[in-house]
Amino acid sequence: MQITNFLKHHYRHFNAAALIDAAEGYNKHLADGGKMMITLAGAMSTAEMGIQLAELIRQDKVQIISCTGANLEEDIFNLVAHDFYERVPNYRDLTPADEQALLERHMNRVTDTCIPEEEAMRRLEHSVLKFWEKADKAGEQYFPHEFFYQILKSGELEQYYQIDPKDSWMLAAAEKNLPIICPGWEDSTLGNIFAGHVISGDIKNVHTVRTGIEYMIYLAGWYTEQATDASPVGFFQIGGGIAGDFPICVVPMLHQDLGRTSVPLWGYFCQISDSTTSYGSYSGAVPNEKITWGKLGQDTPKFIIESDATIVAPLIFAIVLGQ
């Protein structure tokens, strides 16, 4: 409890106090029988959020995850190619010529971290293509995360592991067969690669990888079954964008489009964001705005922490994990 005790002693006001309130609200929500969705925007996997997220999964402190296609694949990139990554601490000083030099070395930069194309992206492509082609020939269709689960469970990537497997959140999720929602998977490296293989004819059916609409249908079924007044589902949002906006809309869809008005609203809400409120900014919208959309209720516990998620989320997770 050293981290928790330190935070509770020093984090007393403003965003620091909001962090404590959100963490305690998370714990209370679970203690009262609730379930939790965590949403991952940006490049949280490349930020190695998996070190703590994997433990949250193992301890059943998250029941479903929504993430971008980048976060889905980048956890596995890190798993199989970590030793080839390069950190660029002076990334703010890079010139266009410096960036071109990284391109020529096939080092794809995400802020201060470069992902190696050959060791990470092409290595995973080599494996996933076999699973795509097998499903395609059999007339089978799977969600993006299901293909990754198949690959991880097959063990064929184990020879390439370069981090402690317990620090991979995708491995932890695969072991529990955790539900994952990945809206807009097409906007990812492997999504682009899949499109290329469809164009080249390697994959005959573009629907071999199931779509975002199917993800919403899947989420509607999961939420209807799992969310009850005694066990509501909470929403812990890291960043903004589609990873958060897509799944939170399942509640108004169920109520307004399907007439399932007995399904409860989200039972807890927290967003970590450094976006400012502006015209039409979803990522910067305060939680109360979501009341008008039928996503949250007047009495839903609501928290917003205006800070860098790579700093804040690990601290909240430390409290939730009792560290």
Side-chain angles (χ1 to χ4, degrees):
M1 297 286 288
Q2 285 184 318
I3 298 174
T4 298
N5 290 338
F6 174 87
L7 293 173
K8 288 187 175 181
H9 181 71
H10 293 281
Y11 280 40
R12 302 187 181 198
H13 302 282
F14 316 137
N15 271 305
L19 183 156
I20 299 298
D21 292 342
E24 292 182 338
Y26 192 130
N27 277 333
K28 183 178 186 303
H29 178 77
L30 294 182
D32 290 345
K35 303 176 180 71
M36 189 65 73
M37 170 184 276
I38 291 178
T39 76
L40 300 173
M44 293 297 104
S45 288
T46 292
E48 298 190 72
M49 196 73 73
I51 294 172
Q52 282 181 301
L53 182 55
E55 188 60 25
L56 286 173
I57 293 169
R58 284 190 289 269
Q59 293 191 22
D60 295 319
K61 295 184 182 293
V62 53
Q63 282 66 48
I64 185 169
I65 287 174
S66 173
C67 69
T68 58
N71 278 303
L72 200 66
E73 65 194 15
E74 287 178 17
D75 182 77
I76 304 177
F77 291 164
N78 183 58
L79 176 65
V80 302
H82 181 80
D83 294 349
F84 295 95
Y85 278 54
E86 292 182 14
R87 186 161 177 264
V88 187
N90 62 328
Y91 67 92
R92 292 181 179 85
D93 301 327
L94 295 179
T95 65
D98 294 330
E99 306 280 18
Q100 179 66 29
L102 289 173
L103 170 66
E104 291 170 0
R105 293 175 51 221
H106 305 285
M107 298 299 290
N108 299 266
R109 186 170 70 83
V110 181
T111 312
D112 70 345
T113 303
C114 290
I115 303 174
E117 180 179 335
E118 291 302 319
E119 291 80 9
M121 299 167 184
R122 299 306 171 188
R123 179 171 290 167
L124 188 53
E125 177 189 7
H126 176 73
S127 291
V128 76
L129 179 58
K130 292 186 292 185
F131 285 82
W132 288 339
E133 290 178 331
K134 180 182 177 182
D136 191 53
K137 290 175 182 176
E140 299 171 349
Q141 300 174 358
Y142 299 100
F143 286 121
H145 77 277
E146 292 177 319
F147 276 111
F148 286 133
Y149 283 1
Q150 291 173 21
I151 295 169
L152 292 171
K153 290 177 179 179
S154 75
E156 77 164 57
L157 291 177
E158 288 182 11
Q159 60 183 312
Y160 302 115
Y161 287 1
Q162 295 183 354
I163 64 170
D164 189 329
K166 73 177 179 60
D167 292 337
S168 165
W169 75 265
M170 277 295 291
L171 267 178
E175 289 166 3
K176 281 191 173 285
N177 201 29
L178 192 79
I180 292 180
I181 307 300
C182 186
W185 173 77
E186 300 84 357
D187 181 24
S188 67
T189 298
L190 284 171
N192 295 161
I193 288 171
F194 179 77
H197 284 292
V198 173
I199 292 168
S200 66
D202 299 322
I203 305 296
K204 306 303 179 186
N205 182 5
V206 69
H207 296 295
T208 294
V209 177
R210 298 176 68 182
T211 67
I213 294 298
E214 291 176 281
Y215 261 132
M216 180 57 80
I217 294 168
Y218 171 77
L219 177 58
W222 183 91
Y223 193 94
T224 300
E225 178 182 330
Q226 297 291 325
T228 65
D229 290 334
S231 183
V233 181
F235 199 94
F236 188 89
Q237 181 174 337
I238 300 176
I242 193 171
D245 194 20
F246 181 90
I248 204 170
C249 291
V250 73
V251 171
M253 185 197 76
L254 289 170
H255 287 183
Q256 299 166 21
D257 301 324
L258 291 172
R260 300 182 189 175
T261 54
S262 62
V263 174
L265 298 171
W266 295 98
Y268 162 100
F269 179 82
C270 174
Q271 180 178 357
I272 306 169
S273 176
D274 57 4
S275 297
T276 57
T277 301
S278 63
Y279 299 105
S281 169
Y282 171 78
S283 299
V286 296
N288 279 357
E289 184 177 299
K290 294 172 176 58
I291 296 173
T292 72
W293 290 88
K295 300 168 184 175
L296 304 178
Q298 295 182 62
D299 300 322
T300 305
K302 307 174 191 70
F303 309 93
I304 186 163
I305 306 163
E306 296 176 313
S307 188
D308 183 336
T310 63
I311 298 171
V312 169
L315 297 177
I316 292 178
F317 291 163
I319 295 174
V320 173
L321 289 168
Q323 296 173 345

PDB file of all heavy atoms in Angstrom, residues 81-109:
ATOM      1  N   ALA A  81       9.023  -7.604 -30.027  1.00  0.00           N
ATOM      2  CA  ALA A  81      10.116  -6.824 -30.635  1.00  0.00           C
ATOM      3  C   ALA A  81      10.676  -5.753 -29.717  1.00  0.00           C
ATOM      4  O   ALA A  81      11.356  -4.827 -30.175  1.00  0.00           O
ATOM      5  CB  ALA A  81       9.625  -6.175 -31.937  1.00  0.00           C
ATOM      6  N   HIS A  82      10.420  -5.872 -28.419  1.00  0.00           N
ATOM      7  CA  HIS A  82      10.805  -4.817 -27.477  1.00  0.00           C
ATOM      8  C   HIS A  82      12.285  -4.446 -27.561  1.00  0.00           C
ATOM      9  O   HIS A  82      12.649  -3.270 -27.451  1.00  0.00           O
ATOM     10  CB  HIS A  82      10.466  -5.264 -26.053  1.00  0.00           C
ATOM     11  CG  HIS A  82      10.790  -4.245 -25.006  1.00  0.00           C
ATOM     12  ND1 HIS A  82       9.975  -3.170 -24.738  1.00  0.00           N
ATOM     13  CD2 HIS A  82      11.853  -4.128 -24.170  1.00  0.00           C
ATOM     14  CE1 HIS A  82      10.515  -2.445 -23.773  1.00  0.00           C
ATOM     15  NE2 HIS A  82      11.646  -2.994 -23.407  1.00  0.00           N
ATOM     16  N   ASP A  83      13.145  -5.425 -27.746  1.00  0.00           N
ATOM     17  CA  ASP A  83      14.588  -5.165 -27.756  1.00  0.00           C
ATOM     18  C   ASP A  83      15.028  -4.340 -28.954  1.00  0.00           C
ATOM     19  O   ASP A  83      16.130  -3.784 -28.960  1.00  0.00           O
ATOM     20  CB  ASP A  83      15.371  -6.484 -27.740  1.00  0.00           C
ATOM     21  CG  ASP A  83      15.183  -7.254 -26.446  1.00  0.00           C
ATOM     22  OD1 ASP A  83      14.623  -6.689 -25.487  1.00  0.00           O
ATOM     23  OD2 ASP A  83      15.585  -8.432 -26.399  1.00  0.00           O
ATOM     24  N   PHE A  84      14.169  -4.278 -29.972  1.00  0.00           N
ATOM     25  CA  PHE A  84      14.506  -3.532 -31.186  1.00  0.00           C
ATOM     26  C   PHE A  84      13.916  -2.120 -31.189  1.00  0.00           C
ATOM     27  O   PHE A  84      14.184  -1.349 -32.105  1.00  0.00           O
ATOM     28  CB  PHE A  84      14.018  -4.288 -32.424  1.00  0.00           C
ATOM     29  CG  PHE A  84      14.705  -5.615 -32.631  1.00  0.00           C
ATOM     30  CD1 PHE A  84      14.136  -6.786 -32.158  1.00  0.00           C
ATOM     31  CD2 PHE A  84      15.926  -5.693 -33.276  1.00  0.00           C
ATOM     32  CE1 PHE A  84      14.759  -8.014 -32.341  1.00  0.00           C
ATOM     33  CE2 PHE A  84      16.559  -6.908 -33.463  1.00  0.00           C
ATOM     34  CZ  PHE A  84      15.976  -8.074 -32.999  1.00  0.00           C
ATOM     35  N   TYR A  85      13.096  -1.813 -30.186  1.00  0.00           N
ATOM     36  CA  TYR A  85      12.543  -0.464 -30.080  1.00  0.00           C
ATOM     37  C   TYR A  85      13.673   0.525 -29.773  1.00  0.00           C
ATOM     38  O   TYR A  85      14.682   0.164 -29.164  1.00  0.00           O
ATOM     39  CB  TYR A  85      11.510  -0.387 -28.952  1.00  0.00           C
ATOM     40  CG  TYR A  85      10.123  -0.868 -29.323  1.00  0.00           C
ATOM     41  CD1 TYR A  85       9.922  -2.132 -29.872  1.00  0.00           C
ATOM     42  CD2 TYR A  85       9.012  -0.063 -29.107  1.00  0.00           C
ATOM     43  CE1 TYR A  85       8.647  -2.581 -30.193  1.00  0.00           C
ATOM     44  CE2 TYR A  85       7.732  -0.499 -29.416  1.00  0.00           C
ATOM     45  CZ  TYR A  85       7.559  -1.760 -29.966  1.00  0.00           C
ATOM     46  OH  TYR A  85       6.297  -2.197 -30.282  1.00  0.00           O
ATOM     47  N   GLU A  86      13.461   1.754 -30.185  1.00  0.00           N
ATOM     48  CA  GLU A  86      14.424   2.812 -29.876  1.00  0.00           C
ATOM     49  C   GLU A  86      13.678   3.997 -29.272  1.00  0.00           C
ATOM     50  O   GLU A  86      12.624   4.388 -29.764  1.00  0.00           O
ATOM     51  CB  GLU A  86      15.181   3.266 -31.128  1.00  0.00           C
ATOM     52  CG  GLU A  86      16.119   2.216 -31.688  1.00  0.00           C
ATOM     53  CD  GLU A  86      16.894   2.717 -32.897  1.00  0.00           C
ATOM     54  OE1 GLU A  86      16.892   3.951 -33.139  1.00  0.00           O
ATOM     55  OE2 GLU A  86      17.480   1.880 -33.604  1.00  0.00           O
ATOM     56  N   ARG A  87      14.244   4.535 -28.212  1.00  0.00           N
ATOM     57  CA  ARG A  87      13.653   5.715 -27.585  1.00  0.00           C
ATOM     58  C   ARG A  87      14.361   6.961 -28.098  1.00  0.00           C
ATOM     59  O   ARG A  87      15.589   6.966 -28.259  1.00  0.00           O
ATOM     60  CB  ARG A  87      13.765   5.635 -26.058  1.00  0.00           C
ATOM     61  CG  ARG A  87      13.032   6.767 -25.360  1.00  0.00           C
ATOM     62  CD  ARG A  87      12.732   6.474 -23.894  1.00  0.00           C
ATOM     63  NE  ARG A  87      12.085   7.638 -23.279  1.00  0.00           N
ATOM     64  CZ  ARG A  87      12.723   8.564 -22.591  1.00  0.00           C
ATOM     65  NH1 ARG A  87      14.029   8.472 -22.398  1.00  0.00           N
ATOM     66  NH2 ARG A  87      12.068   9.597 -22.086  1.00  0.00           N
ATOM     67  N   VAL A  88      13.578   8.002 -28.366  1.00  0.00           N
ATOM     68  CA  VAL A  88      14.114   9.266 -28.879  1.00  0.00           C
ATOM     69  C   VAL A  88      13.727  10.360 -27.893  1.00  0.00           C
ATOM     70  O   VAL A  88      12.725  11.064 -28.070  1.00  0.00           O
ATOM     71  CB  VAL A  88      13.542   9.578 -30.283  1.00  0.00           C
ATOM     72  CG1 VAL A  88      14.232  10.811 -30.874  1.00  0.00           C
ATOM     73  CG2 VAL A  88      13.681   8.387 -31.210  1.00  0.00           C
ATOM     74  N   PRO A  89      14.506  10.534 -26.814  1.00  0.00           N
ATOM     75  CA  PRO A  89      14.129  11.497 -25.777  1.00  0.00           C
ATOM     76  C   PRO A  89      14.091  12.944 -26.271  1.00  0.00           C
ATOM     77  O   PRO A  89      13.398  13.780 -25.698  1.00  0.00           O
ATOM     78  CB  PRO A  89      15.196  11.298 -24.704  1.00  0.00           C
ATOM     79  CG  PRO A  89      16.350  10.655 -25.403  1.00  0.00           C
ATOM     80  CD  PRO A  89      15.749   9.815 -26.486  1.00  0.00           C
ATOM     81  N   ASN A  90      14.813  13.243 -27.347  1.00  0.00           N
ATOM     82  CA  ASN A  90      14.853  14.615 -27.873  1.00  0.00           C
ATOM     83  C   ASN A  90      13.931  14.762 -29.081  1.00  0.00           C
ATOM     84  O   ASN A  90      14.202  15.538 -29.999  1.00  0.00           O
ATOM     85  CB  ASN A  90      16.278  14.983 -28.274  1.00  0.00           C
ATOM     86  CG  ASN A  90      16.817  14.097 -29.393  1.00  0.00           C
ATOM     87  OD1 ASN A  90      16.440  12.919 -29.476  1.00  0.00           O
ATOM     88  ND2 ASN A  90      17.672  14.632 -30.238  1.00  0.00           N
ATOM     89  N   TYR A  91      12.795  14.033 -29.076  1.00  0.00           N
ATOM     90  CA  TYR A  91      11.931  13.999 -30.262  1.00  0.00           C
ATOM     91  C   TYR A  91      11.413  15.384 -30.659  1.00  0.00           C
ATOM     92  O   TYR A  91      11.142  15.628 -31.837  1.00  0.00           O
ATOM     93  CB  TYR A  91      10.759  13.043 -30.038  1.00  0.00           C
ATOM     94  CG  TYR A  91       9.775  13.479 -28.977  1.00  0.00           C
ATOM     95  CD1 TYR A  91       8.645  14.229 -29.301  1.00  0.00           C
ATOM     96  CD2 TYR A  91       9.958  13.132 -27.647  1.00  0.00           C
ATOM     97  CE1 TYR A  91       7.750  14.633 -28.334  1.00  0.00           C
ATOM     98  CE2 TYR A  91       9.067  13.527 -26.665  1.00  0.00           C
ATOM     99  CZ  TYR A  91       7.961  14.273 -27.013  1.00  0.00           C
ATOM    100  OH  TYR A  91       7.073  14.662 -26.047  1.00  0.00           O
ATOM    101  N   ARG A  92      11.315  16.298 -29.709  1.00  0.00           N
ATOM    102  CA  ARG A  92      10.824  17.636 -30.047  1.00  0.00           C
ATOM    103  C   ARG A  92      11.819  18.414 -30.904  1.00  0.00           C
ATOM    104  O   ARG A  92      11.446  19.401 -31.547  1.00  0.00           O
ATOM    105  CB  ARG A  92      10.536  18.428 -28.760  1.00  0.00           C
ATOM    106  CG  ARG A  92       9.355  17.902 -27.951  1.00  0.00           C
ATOM    107  CD  ARG A  92       9.121  18.763 -26.721  1.00  0.00           C
ATOM    108  NE  ARG A  92       7.985  18.314 -25.913  1.00  0.00           N
ATOM    109  CZ  ARG A  92       8.061  17.369 -24.981  1.00  0.00           C
ATOM    110  NH1 ARG A  92       9.233  16.776 -24.744  1.00  0.00           N
ATOM    111  NH2 ARG A  92       6.990  17.012 -24.292  1.00  0.00           N
ATOM    112  N   ASP A  93      13.059  17.973 -30.895  1.00  0.00           N
ATOM    113  CA  ASP A  93      14.087  18.695 -31.647  1.00  0.00           C
ATOM    114  C   ASP A  93      14.348  18.100 -33.028  1.00  0.00           C
ATOM    115  O   ASP A  93      15.208  18.605 -33.757  1.00  0.00           O
ATOM    116  CB  ASP A  93      15.411  18.678 -30.859  1.00  0.00           C
ATOM    117  CG  ASP A  93      15.278  19.311 -29.481  1.00  0.00           C
ATOM    118  OD1 ASP A  93      14.478  20.270 -29.357  1.00  0.00           O
ATOM    119  OD2 ASP A  93      15.948  18.838 -28.537  1.00  0.00           O
ATOM    120  N   LEU A  94      13.648  17.039 -33.386  1.00  0.00           N
ATOM    121  CA  LEU A  94      13.911  16.387 -34.669  1.00  0.00           C
ATOM    122  C   LEU A  94      13.541  17.302 -35.834  1.00  0.00           C
ATOM    123  O   LEU A  94      12.507  17.959 -35.829  1.00  0.00           O
ATOM    124  CB  LEU A  94      13.113  15.091 -34.770  1.00  0.00           C
ATOM    125  CG  LEU A  94      13.469  13.972 -33.779  1.00  0.00           C
ATOM    126  CD1 LEU A  94      12.559  12.771 -34.005  1.00  0.00           C
ATOM    127  CD2 LEU A  94      14.940  13.569 -33.908  1.00  0.00           C
ATOM    128  N   THR A  95      14.390  17.308 -36.842  1.00  0.00           N
ATOM    129  CA  THR A  95      14.123  18.051 -38.064  1.00  0.00           C
ATOM    130  C   THR A  95      13.430  17.122 -39.062  1.00  0.00           C
ATOM    131  O   THR A  95      13.438  15.887 -38.892  1.00  0.00           O
ATOM    132  CB  THR A  95      15.434  18.547 -38.686  1.00  0.00           C
ATOM    133  OG1 THR A  95      16.209  17.401 -39.109  1.00  0.00           O
ATOM    134  CG2 THR A  95      16.248  19.360 -37.682  1.00  0.00           C
ATOM    135  N   PRO A  96      12.849  17.669 -40.126  1.00  0.00           N
ATOM    136  CA  PRO A  96      12.298  16.801 -41.173  1.00  0.00           C
ATOM    137  C   PRO A  96      13.334  15.812 -41.712  1.00  0.00           C
ATOM    138  O   PRO A  96      12.990  14.668 -42.035  1.00  0.00           O
ATOM    139  CB  PRO A  96      11.842  17.794 -42.240  1.00  0.00           C
ATOM    140  CG  PRO A  96      11.485  19.029 -41.464  1.00  0.00           C
ATOM    141  CD  PRO A  96      12.509  19.093 -40.367  1.00  0.00           C
ATOM    142  N   ALA A  97      14.588  16.233 -41.789  1.00  0.00           N
ATOM    143  CA  ALA A  97      15.642  15.328 -42.264  1.00  0.00           C
ATOM    144  C   ALA A  97      15.861  14.182 -41.274  1.00  0.00           C
ATOM    145  O   ALA A  97      16.090  13.028 -41.672  1.00  0.00           O
ATOM    146  CB  ALA A  97      16.940  16.104 -42.471  1.00  0.00           C
ATOM    147  N   ASP A  98      15.778  14.483 -39.973  1.00  0.00           N
ATOM    148  CA  ASP A  98      15.896  13.435 -38.953  1.00  0.00           C
ATOM    149  C   ASP A  98      14.758  12.429 -39.085  1.00  0.00           C
ATOM    150  O   ASP A  98      14.964  11.217 -38.964  1.00  0.00           O
ATOM    151  CB  ASP A  98      15.862  14.043 -37.552  1.00  0.00           C
ATOM    152  CG  ASP A  98      17.066  14.927 -37.246  1.00  0.00           C
ATOM    153  OD1 ASP A  98      18.154  14.657 -37.805  1.00  0.00           O
ATOM    154  OD2 ASP A  98      16.906  15.879 -36.458  1.00  0.00           O
ATOM    155  N   GLU A  99      13.546  12.938 -39.326  1.00  0.00           N
ATOM    156  CA  GLU A  99      12.385  12.058 -39.478  1.00  0.00           C
ATOM    157  C   GLU A  99      12.542  11.184 -40.722  1.00  0.00           C
ATOM    158  O   GLU A  99      12.198   9.992 -40.712  1.00  0.00           O
ATOM    159  CB  GLU A  99      11.097  12.892 -39.581  1.00  0.00           C
ATOM    160  CG  GLU A  99      10.873  13.872 -38.448  1.00  0.00           C
ATOM    161  CD  GLU A  99      10.317  13.229 -37.181  1.00  0.00           C
ATOM    162  OE1 GLU A  99      10.400  11.993 -37.028  1.00  0.00           O
ATOM    163  OE2 GLU A  99       9.782  13.973 -36.339  1.00  0.00           O
ATOM    164  N   GLN A 100      13.073  11.766 -41.797  1.00  0.00           N
ATOM    165  CA  GLN A 100      13.304  10.995 -43.028  1.00  0.00           C
ATOM    166  C   GLN A 100      14.313   9.883 -42.777  1.00  0.00           C
ATOM    167  O   GLN A 100      14.161   8.760 -43.288  1.00  0.00           O
ATOM    168  CB  GLN A 100      13.808  11.926 -44.138  1.00  0.00           C
ATOM    169  CG  GLN A 100      14.101  11.238 -45.463  1.00  0.00           C
ATOM    170  CD  GLN A 100      12.867  10.677 -46.136  1.00  0.00           C
ATOM    171  OE1 GLN A 100      11.773  11.205 -45.961  1.00  0.00           O
ATOM    172  NE2 GLN A 100      13.032   9.599 -46.904  1.00  0.00           N
ATOM    173  N   ALA A 101      15.310  10.167 -41.974  1.00  0.00           N
ATOM    174  CA  ALA A 101      16.322   9.151 -41.655  1.00  0.00           C
ATOM    175  C   ALA A 101      15.704   7.987 -40.884  1.00  0.00           C
ATOM    176  O   ALA A 101      16.059   6.819 -41.109  1.00  0.00           O
ATOM    177  CB  ALA A 101      17.459   9.783 -40.852  1.00  0.00           C
ATOM    178  N   LEU A 102      14.771   8.291 -39.993  1.00  0.00           N
ATOM    179  CA  LEU A 102      14.069   7.227 -39.275  1.00  0.00           C
ATOM    180  C   LEU A 102      13.233   6.395 -40.243  1.00  0.00           C
ATOM    181  O   LEU A 102      13.203   5.158 -40.157  1.00  0.00           O
ATOM    182  CB  LEU A 102      13.175   7.821 -38.183  1.00  0.00           C
ATOM    183  CG  LEU A 102      13.893   8.427 -36.971  1.00  0.00           C
ATOM    184  CD1 LEU A 102      12.895   9.137 -36.057  1.00  0.00           C
ATOM    185  CD2 LEU A 102      14.652   7.353 -36.184  1.00  0.00           C
ATOM    186  N   LEU A 103      12.565   7.058 -41.175  1.00  0.00           N
ATOM    187  CA  LEU A 103      11.786   6.342 -42.186  1.00  0.00           C
ATOM    188  C   LEU A 103      12.658   5.387 -42.984  1.00  0.00           C
ATOM    189  O   LEU A 103      12.291   4.230 -43.223  1.00  0.00           O
ATOM    190  CB  LEU A 103      11.112   7.349 -43.125  1.00  0.00           C
ATOM    191  CG  LEU A 103      10.447   6.750 -44.380  1.00  0.00           C
ATOM    192  CD1 LEU A 103       9.266   5.880 -44.000  1.00  0.00           C
ATOM    193  CD2 LEU A 103      10.026   7.860 -45.338  1.00  0.00           C
ATOM    194  N   GLU A 104      13.826   5.855 -43.386  1.00  0.00           N
ATOM    195  CA  GLU A 104      14.717   5.025 -44.203  1.00  0.00           C
ATOM    196  C   GLU A 104      15.244   3.829 -43.426  1.00  0.00           C
ATOM    197  O   GLU A 104      15.632   2.818 -44.019  1.00  0.00           O
ATOM    198  CB  GLU A 104      15.860   5.885 -44.747  1.00  0.00           C
ATOM    199  CG  GLU A 104      15.372   6.903 -45.783  1.00  0.00           C
ATOM    200  CD  GLU A 104      16.423   7.930 -46.174  1.00  0.00           C
ATOM    201  OE1 GLU A 104      17.564   7.862 -45.623  1.00  0.00           O
ATOM    202  OE2 GLU A 104      16.113   8.816 -46.990  1.00  0.00           O
ATOM    203  N   ARG A 105      15.235   3.918 -42.104  1.00  0.00           N
ATOM    204  CA  ARG A 105      15.632   2.788 -41.253  1.00  0.00           C
ATOM    205  C   ARG A 105      14.433   1.943 -40.840  1.00  0.00           C
ATOM    206  O   ARG A 105      14.555   1.022 -40.051  1.00  0.00           O
ATOM    207  CB  ARG A 105      16.360   3.305 -40.003  1.00  0.00           C
ATOM    208  CG  ARG A 105      17.717   3.950 -40.283  1.00  0.00           C
ATOM    209  CD  ARG A 105      18.299   4.550 -39.002  1.00  0.00           C
ATOM    210  NE  ARG A 105      18.281   3.550 -37.931  1.00  0.00           N
ATOM    211  CZ  ARG A 105      17.951   3.814 -36.665  1.00  0.00           C
ATOM    212  NH1 ARG A 105      17.596   5.053 -36.306  1.00  0.00           N
ATOM    213  NH2 ARG A 105      17.972   2.863 -35.749  1.00  0.00           N
ATOM    214  N   HIS A 106      13.245   2.302 -41.363  1.00  0.00           N
ATOM    215  CA  HIS A 106      12.004   1.581 -41.061  1.00  0.00           C
ATOM    216  C   HIS A 106      11.682   1.620 -39.574  1.00  0.00           C
ATOM    217  O   HIS A 106      11.215   0.637 -39.000  1.00  0.00           O
ATOM    218  CB  HIS A 106      12.086   0.131 -41.560  1.00  0.00           C
ATOM    219  CG  HIS A 106      12.407   0.011 -43.006  1.00  0.00           C
ATOM    220  ND1 HIS A 106      11.476   0.270 -43.999  1.00  0.00           N
ATOM    221  CD2 HIS A 106      13.569  -0.321 -43.642  1.00  0.00           C
ATOM    222  CE1 HIS A 106      12.047   0.107 -45.191  1.00  0.00           C
ATOM    223  NE2 HIS A 106      13.309  -0.249 -45.001  1.00  0.00           N
ATOM    224  N   MET A 107      11.917   2.795 -38.973  1.00  0.00           N
ATOM    225  CA  MET A 107      11.591   3.008 -37.567  1.00  0.00           C
ATOM    226  C   MET A 107      10.417   3.982 -37.499  1.00  0.00           C
ATOM    227  O   MET A 107      10.550   5.163 -37.818  1.00  0.00           O
ATOM    228  CB  MET A 107      12.798   3.566 -36.805  1.00  0.00           C
ATOM    229  CG  MET A 107      14.008   2.648 -36.792  1.00  0.00           C
ATOM    230  SD  MET A 107      13.682   1.055 -35.985  1.00  0.00           S
ATOM    231  CE  MET A 107      13.529   1.545 -34.270  1.00  0.00           C
ATOM    232  N   ASN A 108       9.264   3.463 -37.107  1.00  0.00           N
ATOM    233  CA  ASN A 108       8.036   4.250 -37.074  1.00  0.00           C
ATOM    234  C   ASN A 108       7.892   4.911 -35.701  1.00  0.00           C
ATOM    235  O   ASN A 108       7.767   4.221 -34.685  1.00  0.00           O
ATOM    236  CB  ASN A 108       6.833   3.346 -37.343  1.00  0.00           C
ATOM    237  CG  ASN A 108       6.912   2.692 -38.720  1.00  0.00           C
ATOM    238  OD1 ASN A 108       6.362   3.187 -39.693  1.00  0.00           O
ATOM    239  ND2 ASN A 108       7.606   1.565 -38.789  1.00  0.00           N
ATOM    240  N   ARG A 109       7.900   6.259 -35.686  1.00  0.00           N
ATOM    241  CA  ARG A 109       7.953   6.979 -34.417  1.00  0.00           C
ATOM    242  C   ARG A 109       6.572   7.241 -33.846  1.00  0.00           C
ATOM    243  O   ARG A 109       5.665   7.701 -34.546  1.00  0.00           O
ATOM    244  CB  ARG A 109       8.692   8.307 -34.594  1.00  0.00           C
ATOM    245  CG  ARG A 109       8.907   9.059 -33.274  1.00  0.00           C
ATOM    246  CD  ARG A 109       9.858  10.241 -33.446  1.00  0.00           C
ATOM    247  NE  ARG A 109       9.280  11.320 -34.226  1.00  0.00           N
ATOM    248  CZ  ARG A 109       8.471  12.254 -33.730  1.00  0.00           C
ATOM    249  NH1 ARG A 109       8.132  12.236 -32.451  1.00  0.00           N
ATOM    250  NH2 ARG A 109       8.001  13.207 -34.501  1.00  0.00           N
TER     251      ARG A 109
END
